[in-house]
Amino acid sequence: MSSAFSARGALRAATAAHHERVDAVFSRADLTNRVDYARFLQAQAGAYLPVEAALARAGAARIVPDWETRRRASRLTADLAALGVAVPEDEADVGFDDDAAVLGGVYVLEGSRLGGAMLARDVPADFPKSFLASDQVATWRDLLDLLQYRLISPGERSSAVESASRVFMLFESSGQRYLRAD
């Protein structure tokens, strides 16, 4: 199946501009600098924590068989605590209306896991990085299979794309709040 007709292809193409903006905002952080790294993790937390919580409330465990092993909120809050910085207040109003929307949200969070694994290489060994360290690379392929199986209709794909777009915008907004170009 060509990627143009795959669920991943649809999500990737429709959210590419959002993804580029998020990458541009988060690339401002110097991950070798402790203060910048802490701000980077706070920016991640400002989006990641409310999204993961909303996905759990929306029934992600019912839709994604290994949902509990995918969750990384506790890793993120532990890394922030180890750096001695506060967890951001949850200001995001996030909701997922249907199973396809949940899958769109999971797609973004799991994509961030892959990106985090690459970023972790630049983080000094003495910095806490359990959130960025990816120990489940195979879960990405499993998610892509699940997306292909569950996002069949144009309406389902549209719902997943809309949801993924909203999550990307939340990450962009959180990144702009914590990683201002001063």
Side-chain angles (χ1 to χ4, degrees):
M1 175 171 295
S2 79
S3 64
F5 295 104
S6 71
R8 176 193 186 188
L11 280 161
R12 189 176 190 178
T15 62
H18 293 297
H19 193 179
E20 287 175 19
R21 286 194 304 274
V22 168
D23 284 349
V25 169
F26 278 86
S27 69
R28 296 176 187 162
D30 175 1
L31 302 183
T32 65
N33 175 290
R34 194 171 189 85
V35 172
D36 269 14
Y37 181 60
R39 289 162 108 188
F40 171 86
L41 288 181
Q42 284 183 306
Q44 288 286 322
Y48 187 93
L49 297 177
V51 169
E52 184 181 277
L55 288 168
R57 286 191 305 274
R62 176 181 49 77
I63 301 162
V64 181
D66 58 349
W67 169 248
E68 289 306 318
T69 63
R70 291 175 183 270
R71 297 184 75 169
R72 296 183 295 150
S74 62
R75 290 178 178 207
L76 181 51
T77 57
D79 287 350
L80 287 167
L83 289 167
V85 295
V87 174
E89 293 292 322
D90 182 356
E91 299 174 6
D93 181 22
V94 185
F96 299 94
D97 298 332
D98 57 36
D99 291 358
V102 167
L103 289 170
V106 172
Y107 168 81
V108 177
L109 294 191
E110 286 300 302
S112 81
R113 179 192 304 270
L114 289 177
M118 291 189 301
L119 293 174
R121 299 176 199 155
D122 297 332
V123 177
D126 62 329
F127 288 10
K129 57 182 172 180
S130 65
F131 175 70
L132 292 181
S134 178
D135 56 355
Q136 298 177 330
V137 175
T139 61
W140 179 247
R141 288 186 295 276
D142 294 342
L143 177 64
L144 296 181
D145 290 343
L146 182 63
L147 293 175
Q148 195 60 32
Y149 174 74
R150 296 289 304 261
L151 301 178
I152 308 245
S153 75
E156 290 166 330
R157 289 191 179 180
S158 177
S159 179
V161 163
E162 183 179 314
S163 172
S165 297
R166 284 193 321 266
V167 172
F168 272 120
M169 288 187 286
L170 182 58
F171 271 94
E172 182 181 5
S173 173
S174 186
Q176 288 171 340
R177 184 168 49 250
Y178 287 95
L179 302 171
R180 290 187 276 286
D182 297 331

